[in-house]
Amino acid sequence: MFKICEISAKALLDTGCDFPVYGVSDPEAPEDHTIIFVKGTLAESAVQVRNSIFIAGEELKPALDASCILLKSSMPKNLYGELLERLVSLMPQPSAYVKDESYISSDVQMGEDVKIAPFCVIGRDVVIGDRCRIGAGTVIKDHVRIGNDVQIKENCVIGAEDADIYRTEDGLCRTLPHLAGTVIEDGCLLLAGSILAAGDTRTTVLGRGSMIGLAGDVGHNCRIGEGSLISGKASISGHCNVGSHTYAAPMSVTTNRITVGAHAYLGIGAVAIRDVPEGEKQFGNPARKVPEMKKK
C-alpha cells in the first residue's frame, strides 16, 4: 500500500471516529489507516491493525482492535464500492496543464530526462523516474509509480480499472475504484497498445526489467516478477502471481487467482486454469505439462 490521500474517517462515515484514512490495503496483509474489504477469510495479522475500516459480510465475526471500524453488509462488495467512491469524492482535485499537446496533472512528479510524446494523458498522484520515454496517445491514470529507464510505447493504458464490479443502490453496474495503485519497476518495456490494470485491494506490480508485449494485458492486483515477458496479446487475469523470468507466449491466457512459478513457460495460445509449477513448460487448452522426450 502506498499513501494516496489523508481523509478523516469522520468525514468519510459521519461517525465519532476521527483517524486519517490513507487508502486501501490487501485483506491478506492489512495495514493501519486503510479501508479493507474482507472477502472470505481475513489474515491473522488483522488483530494488529489499528485505525482502519473493515468491510465484511454479515456472517463474518473478525476479531479486531477497538480503534477499528467494522461495517457489515449482506452485499459487502457493493458497500466497499460505494465507500471508495465517497473517498474519491473527498480527495483533492489538482489542476492540469497542457505541454506539447499532452494533458498532465499539476502534481505529477518527473525525474530527469523524461520525454513525453504528444496526445498523452497523465493523471494525479503519478511519479515518473529518470530517463523514461512515454509514447504518443498513452494514458497513465491516477496513483501510478514508474521507476527509472522505463519505456512505454504508443497507445498504452497504465493504471486502468479492470472488471471488478459492484452494484449501486439503484442497480447500476460499476467497476470498483482501483485505489491500490500501480507500480512499474526500473527498466520495464511496454509495447504499443498494452494495458496494465491498477489494483483495487493490493498494488499491481510489474517487476524490474519485465515486458508487456504488443496489445498484451495484465489484470488488477497482479504481481509480475522481475525479468518476465508477457508477450503480444497474452493476458494475465486479475489477482495472479507470476514469478521471475517467466515467459507467457503470444495469446496465452491465465484465469484469475493462479500462480505461475519462476522460470515457467506458457506456450502459444495456452490457457492456464490452475497453478503452473516453477520451471514447467505448458501448452494447450487447458494448459498441460509438456512430456519429457527421451533420446533413444
Side-chain angles (χ1 to χ4, degrees):
M1 187 274 293
F2 50 81
K3 182 178 177 180
I4 63 168
C5 64
E6 189 167 339
I7 304 297
S8 165
K10 185 175 183 179
L12 187 60
L13 294 174
D14 193 24
T15 67
C17 298
D18 199 19
F19 55 81
V21 175
Y22 299 148
V24 301
S25 65
D26 186 352
E28 296 180 5
E31 300 181 51
D32 297 347
H33 296 280
T34 62
I35 302 173
I36 301 154
F37 171 51
V38 183
K39 182 178 181 180
T41 58
L42 184 63
E44 293 182 4
S45 60
V47 297
Q48 301 171 1
V49 173
R50 303 292 183 268
N51 299 315
S52 289
I53 301 169
F54 287 82
I55 299 174
E58 293 177 338
E59 70 286 356
L60 294 179
K61 298 180 180 179
L64 303 174
D65 184 78
S67 66
C68 294
I69 298 172
L70 175 61
L71 303 177
K72 288 190 173 185
S73 171
S74 60
M75 304 181 74
K77 192 172 186 180
N78 293 2
L79 178 58
Y80 182 59
E82 291 169 2
L83 190 59
L84 295 191
E85 292 285 5
R86 197 177 310 163
L87 183 69
V88 170
S89 71
L90 293 171
M91 293 169 61
Q93 301 288 336
S95 59
Y97 63 92
V98 177
K99 180 179 180 181
D100 299 329
E101 299 181 278
S102 285
Y103 187 84
I104 303 171
S105 177
S106 60
D107 68 342
V108 172
Q109 300 177 45
M110 291 193 200
E112 298 179 357
D113 189 27
V114 174
K115 295 183 179 179
I116 300 174
F119 313 119
C120 294
V121 177
I122 303 179
R124 62 184 172 180
D125 186 31
V126 171
V127 178
I128 302 174
D130 298 337
R131 300 173 298 279
C132 291
R133 302 290 182 264
I134 313 297
T138 286
V139 176
I140 301 174
K141 303 197 73 175
D142 301 343
H143 317 306
V144 174
R145 305 289 185 266
I146 299 174
N148 300 322
D149 301 298
V150 172
Q151 290 195 3
I152 301 173
K153 300 297 185 178
E154 60 272 17
N155 296 318
C156 295
V157 182
I158 312 301
E161 292 184 344
D162 204 354
D164 204 348
I165 64 168
Y166 74 100
R167 297 281 180 181
T168 64
E169 289 185 358
D170 50 1
L172 300 179
C173 183
R174 295 291 181 262
T175 186
L176 291 173
H178 285 43
L179 302 183
T182 314
V183 171
I184 300 175
E185 295 183 348
D186 295 349
C188 288
L189 172 64
L190 291 86
L191 297 183
S194 59
I195 299 173
L196 181 62
D200 57 25
T201 56
R202 71 171 184 172
T203 305
T204 299
V205 179
L206 184 65
R208 186 177 186 274
S210 291
M211 179 198 80
I212 304 178
L214 189 71
D217 69 270
V218 172
H220 62 293
N221 302 339
C222 286
R223 302 287 173 89
I224 309 297
E226 70 172 335
S228 290
L229 304 178
I230 312 301
S231 298
K233 298 183 181 178
S235 181
I236 306 298
S237 296
H239 301 270
C240 287
N241 294 305
V242 175
S244 60
H245 304 286
T246 292
Y247 180 69
M251 296 178 286
S252 59
V253 176
T254 69
T255 54
N256 287 343
R257 300 179 184 276
I258 71 169
T259 295
V260 180
H263 301 277
Y265 184 107
L266 289 176
I268 292 176
V271 179
I273 63 173
R274 57 181 64 89
D275 291 351
V276 179
E278 181 176 342
E280 190 164 290
K281 292 184 178 182
Q282 294 193 357
F283 289 82
N285 181 7
R288 301 176 180 84
K289 181 181 178 180
V290 176
E292 296 293 334
M293 303 298 292
K294 294 182 179 180
K295 293 184 178 180
K296 293 183 179 180

